[in-house]
């Protein structure tokens, strides 16, 4: 991924999925493939979490790249009600590359879903920019840990 020389921004939004349950896997696959390709070119890193009909996504990169990507994402009919939890300048990247928790590591997802369910129904509207970022970084850590154990 190309580095961002200055002015690194991070934003977090959530949205409601419009993907029919039967079409979920192929649709998410196609979103992931396109996003990885675009985000690498644009120097964007981040994390997309998909749970209980919600999308929660962090994007980090230059202001210009993030704005252009968010405009495309907002116009996408595969979800609706895109709501920004916040955006702020960041001193460094928290996510190394764009990734998706839900598809690649279902066993991790089950654990994450369990932990989230213990706190009641998942409602990203109750999250702040800080708590959403913390949740996404924890998910990334759980995923990294499981990948390491899987490889070892
Ligand atoms: P193309 O892939 O050529 O698409 C052209 C148009 O067709 C776009 O309007 C696109 O939205 C629409 N389209 C393409 N495939 C489908 C389909 N199967 N069903 C309905 N409409 C379709 N993109 C990123 O670049 N980075 C991201 O991080 C990112 N995250 C996303 C997160 C979520 C939750 C969702 C729903 C989408 C995300 N996308 C992301 C995809 C984004 O919304 C655009 O579809 C994509 O960026 C368009 O890429 P493109 O300009 O190369 O156009």
């Amino acid at each position: 991924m190309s580095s961002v020389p200055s002015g690194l921004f991070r934003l977090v939004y959530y949205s409601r999925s419009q993907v029919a349950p039967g079409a979920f896997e192929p649709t998410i696959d196609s979103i992931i493939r396109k996003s990885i390709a675009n985000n690498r070119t644009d120097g964007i890193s981040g994390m997309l979490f998909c749970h209980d009909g919600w999308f929660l996504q962090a994007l980090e990169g230059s202001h210009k790249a993030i704005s252009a990507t968010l405009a495309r994402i907002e116009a996408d009919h595969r979800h609706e009600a895109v709501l920004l939890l916040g955006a702020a300048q960041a001193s460094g990247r928290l996510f190394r590359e764009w990734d998706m928790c839900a598809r690649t590591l279902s066993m991790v997802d089950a654990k994450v879903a369990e932990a989230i369910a213990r706190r009641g129904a998942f409602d990203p509207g109750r999250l702040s920019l800080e708590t959403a970022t913390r949740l996404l970084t924890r998910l990334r850590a759980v995923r990294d840990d499981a990948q390491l154990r899987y490889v070892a």
Side-chain angles (χ1 to χ4, degrees):
M1 170 183 304
S2 60
S3 63
V4 177
S6 63
L8 180 69
F9 280 84
R10 180 177 312 113
L11 73 73
V12 180
Y13 77 84
Y14 68 90
S15 62
R16 204 68 183 140
S17 169
Q18 288 297 291
V19 180
F24 191 76
E25 280 223 3
T27 305
I28 295 297
D29 268 359
S30 129
I31 291 173
I32 289 169
R33 261 199 306 276
K34 173 57 77 176
S35 300
I36 287 174
N38 284 351
N39 292 357
R40 278 201 181 134
T41 306
D42 297 338
I44 291 177
S45 48
M47 176 95 183
L48 175 65
F49 179 52
C50 205
H51 182 70
D52 223 5
W54 294 100
F55 289 116
L56 178 67
Q57 186 174 29
L59 293 168
E60 46 192 26
S62 72
H63 190 274
K64 192 174 167 207
I66 296 282
S67 304
T69 300
L70 185 64
R72 291 199 310 274
I73 291 174
E74 281 177 324
D76 195 318
H77 296 298
R78 290 169 288 187
H79 63 167
E80 64 168 19
V82 177
L83 264 170
L84 206 59
L85 283 173
Q89 209 149 10
S91 53
R93 290 180 191 270
L94 292 174
F95 307 97
R96 287 177 304 256
E97 59 184 23
W98 194 92
D99 211 340
M100 170 81 189
C101 208
R103 190 191 59 118
T104 43
L105 285 169
S106 48
M107 62 170 190
V108 171
D109 260 13
K111 274 194 196 165
V112 169
E114 241 174 60
I116 288 173
R118 276 200 295 274
R119 298 178 183 197
F122 179 57
D123 178 5
R126 296 205 314 245
L127 298 172
S128 65
L129 175 62
E130 290 72 28
T131 52
T133 305
R134 210 160 41 234
L135 170 65
L136 290 169
T137 49
R138 282 204 187 129
L139 293 175
R140 190 215 61 203
V142 171
R143 191 201 63 216
D144 287 354
D145 186 45
Q147 271 170 339
L148 282 177
R149 272 187 279 126
Y150 183 71
V151 169

